[in-house]
């Protein structure tokens, strides 16, 4: 069977090399060629013996997701739709800023967790992405960012400096593949990103947060979105399984291993749902023992969502209350509005296996 070398981290490649009678350090050369030089062709790997190149070519490929579309928004945000076979597609978003370039990476085709305000959640779930499909998003972005011309030339040559696992899917529900992809992101022979610059965002899979702490403690963002269980149960249904108290306890356990001395709480601002001054005060009490920062995300709408974005004034007041209580609070800027590249708008092409799409469409018509 032909294997895809993009599925292997440094250790996996070293084992592979040993298995075919090669020295394990060849893995480092392979990582360099594949991930730093962006080479997908064994013949070009000039410091590997010809015999090894031929051996690899006979047993392996370096296969990336196909780019279906590539759009650049007026603000320079770039979104790729990548085909991952069987009619499924995932989205990856590059967000250039003055001092960094952030790539928003997907981890699943769709998502089974069904948060009520999330477009991906409404699509239903098809399958987990492979390591190759996850790391392939970074490979493709690094290779293509900077090739822009025309109006967006000012954003040219800005490589990816940060990765956030905030695209389609729940990264901790695809734990093994996500962690192997994180290994490759952090490996100095591959992308060499620091653990502070790689963030996993989760809706709160408590046992997997503990495993991440032990296995690969990168920066952690928690999608909190509500100050009490009654409301969070409605917005983030996984809360019924792992309620807020357990979630916050897992954050406390995570902190000693975290690359930063705080947890980021994401909080989507939904008009009339979770954005009142009373909610803000309840939130302050809730997190009083957790070193944290807040990131308020103005809701990004999509057809049939049933929610409205909080007013700018409501967001301002909410932020003010948190800040006055000493909580550092930022408001996420909406980027890539004109190409539907903002948080929670990623829809891709999901061949739903959960029948949720059908249910959602029926609901939306009522
Ligand atoms: N599944 C993970 C990561 C992907 S979603 C998680 O839920 O954390 C990334 C962030 O976007 C999460 O905080 C999510 O709650 C938020 N989000 C989802 N839909 C949104 C929408 N329509 N508008 C604004 N933010 C949204
Ligand atoms: Fe899944 Fe995250 Fe969307 Fe919830 S917000 S449905 S966990 S992708």
């Amino acid at each position: 069977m032909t294997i895809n070398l993009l599925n292997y981290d440094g250790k996996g490649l070293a084992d592979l090399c040993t298995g075919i009678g090669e020295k394990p350090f060849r893995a480092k050369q392979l990582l360099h060629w594949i991930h730093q030089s962006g080479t997908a062709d064994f013949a070009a790997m000039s410091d590997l013996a010809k015999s090894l190149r031929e051996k690899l070519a006979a047993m392996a490929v370096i296969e990336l997701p196909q780019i279906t579309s590539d759009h650049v928004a007026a603000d320079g945000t770039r979104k790729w739709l990548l085909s991952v076979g069987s009619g499924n597609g995932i989205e990856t978003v590059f967000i250039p800023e003055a001092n960094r370039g952030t790539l928003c990476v997907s981890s699943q085709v769709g998502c089974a967790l069904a948060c009520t305000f999330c477009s991906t959640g409404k699509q239903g779930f098809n399958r987990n992405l492979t390591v190759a499909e996850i790391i392939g998003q970074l490979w493709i972005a690094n290779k293509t960012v900077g090739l822009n011309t025309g109006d967006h030339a000012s954003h040219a040559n800005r490589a990816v400096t940060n990765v956030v696992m905030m695209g389609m899917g729940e990264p901790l529900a695809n734990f093994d593949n996500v962690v192997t992809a994180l290994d490759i992101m952090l490996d100095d022979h591959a992308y060499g990103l620091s653990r502070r610059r790689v963030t996993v965002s989760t809706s709160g899979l408590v046992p997997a947060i503990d495993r991440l702490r032990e296995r690969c403690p990168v920066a952690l963002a928690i999608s909190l979105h509500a100050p009490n269980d009654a409301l969070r149960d409605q917005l983030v249904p996984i809360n019924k399984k792992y309620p807020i108290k357990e979630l916050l306890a897992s954050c406390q356990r995570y902190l000693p291993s975290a690359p930063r001395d705080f947890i980021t709480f994401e909080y989507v601002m939904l008009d009339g749902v979770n954005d009142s001054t009373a909610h803000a005060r309840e939130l302050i009490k809730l997190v009083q023992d957790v070193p944290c920062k807040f990131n308020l995300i103005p809701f990004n709408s999509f057809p049939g969502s049933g929610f409205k974005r909080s007013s700018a004034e409501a967001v301002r007041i909410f932020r003010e209350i948190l800040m006055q209580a000493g909580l550092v609070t930022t408001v996420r800027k909406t980027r890539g509005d004109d190409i539907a590249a903002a948080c929670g708008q990623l829809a891709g092409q999901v061949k739903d296996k959960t029948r949720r799409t059908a249910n959602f469409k029926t609901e939306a018509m009522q």
Side-chain angles (χ1 to χ4, degrees):
M1 203 183 77
T2 312
I3 55 171
N4 186 356
L5 292 194
L6 276 183
N7 278 312
Y8 294 79
D9 61 5
K11 185 174 178 311
L13 284 176
D15 291 346
L16 197 83
C17 288
T18 313
I20 57 170
E22 296 286 338
K23 294 269 188 295
F25 76 84
R26 297 282 174 216
K28 294 183 178 139
Q29 286 172 297
L30 280 169
L31 283 177
H32 274 266
W33 279 114
I34 300 170
H35 297 288
Q36 292 192 355
S37 308
T39 306
D41 175 11
F42 296 116
M45 300 182 178
S46 51
D47 62 357
L48 298 183
K50 192 150 177 268
S51 58
L52 172 56
R53 282 185 260 159
E54 285 170 359
K55 230 191 268 183
L56 288 171
M59 62 182 276
V61 290
I62 297 164
E63 196 174 76
L64 291 139
Q66 294 285 315
I67 300 176
T68 309
S69 68
D70 177 355
H71 293 292
V72 184
D75 65 6
T77 301
R78 187 163 178 167
K79 179 171 88 168
W80 293 271
L81 175 64
L82 305 176
S83 153
V84 291
S86 311
N88 286 307
I90 50 154
E91 292 178 329
T92 305
V93 177
F94 178 67
I95 306 147
E97 288 174 282
N99 52 357
R100 63 182 174 191
T102 303
L103 192 70
C104 182
V105 168
S106 294
S107 55
Q108 300 183 306
V109 185
C111 184
L113 297 185
C115 301
T116 44
F117 52 84
C118 172
S119 171
T120 306
K122 296 283 192 198
Q123 308 295 310
F125 176 71
N126 187 281
R127 68 170 172 85
N128 282 331
L129 293 182
T130 63
V131 177
E133 289 160 346
I134 299 168
I135 204 67
Q137 298 171 60
L138 182 52
W139 192 101
I140 287 170
N142 263 326
K143 185 106 172 165
T144 45
V145 168
L147 297 182
N148 249 347
T149 52
D151 290 343
H152 312 294
S154 59
H155 297 298
N157 298 321
R158 212 166 278 167
V160 178
T161 59
N162 294 54
V163 169
V164 291
M165 299 298 304
M166 294 184 188
M168 298 170 66
E170 165 53 51
L172 295 186
N174 182 12
F175 190 88
D176 290 343
N177 292 347
V178 164
V179 163
T180 304
L182 294 176
D183 282 341
I184 303 171
M185 291 175 200
L186 303 183
D187 193 323
D188 283 338
H189 297 287
Y191 298 94
L193 296 174
S194 86
R195 288 194 293 129
R196 303 164 61 87
R197 287 177 174 272
V198 176
T199 301
V200 164
S201 172
T202 177
S203 54
L205 302 186
V206 167
I209 293 172
D210 287 327
R211 285 172 70 204
L212 187 69
R213 178 191 80 226
E214 284 161 15
R215 178 64 178 76
C216 190
V218 293
L220 185 65
I222 301 281
S223 293
L224 192 56
H225 305 322
N228 58 60
D229 283 324
L231 185 53
R232 195 163 191 269
D233 281 352
Q234 290 172 31
L235 299 175
V236 184
I238 194 70
N239 192 68
K240 292 179 199 146
K241 193 159 180 197
Y242 304 114
I244 294 177
K245 195 159 172 258
E246 286 179 33
L247 179 57
L248 295 185
S250 76
C251 292
Q252 293 284 19
R253 291 192 293 275
Y254 197 88
L255 276 160
S257 311
R260 295 172 180 269
D261 54 8
F262 60 89
I263 301 287
T264 303
F265 289 125
E266 295 160 279
Y267 196 97
V268 64
M269 298 292 291
L270 302 165
D271 182 46
V273 176
N274 65 354
D275 65 346
S276 73
T277 53
H279 289 127
R281 296 209 174 85
E282 201 180 350
L283 206 49
I284 293 165
K285 259 210 180 127
L286 184 73
V287 302
Q288 60 189 358
D289 297 327
V290 187
C292 63
K293 290 189 180 173
F294 270 86
N295 191 216
L296 306 181
I297 317 175
F299 172 65
N300 295 306
S301 64
F302 53 90
S305 75
F307 290 103
K308 271 185 17 207
R309 178 184 289 195
S310 302
S311 70
E313 185 61 2
V315 176
R316 192 190 65 72
I317 293 170
F318 201 92
R319 173 169 184 262
E320 198 60 38
I321 296 173
L322 298 187
M323 295 281 281
Q324 271 169 11
L327 293 166
V328 174
T329 306
T330 50
V331 178
R332 191 170 298 173
K333 261 204 286 177
T334 291
R335 300 286 306 255
D337 243 354
D338 47 337
I339 56 168
C343 274
Q345 285 183 327
L346 304 186
Q349 292 168 352
V350 183
K351 290 263 163 82
D352 179 29
K353 283 186 172 168
T354 59
R355 296 190 45 77
R356 184 161 337 114
T357 312
N359 296 341
F360 170 54
K361 283 191 179 138
T362 320
E363 274 168 33
M365 278 170 358
Q366 281 164 1

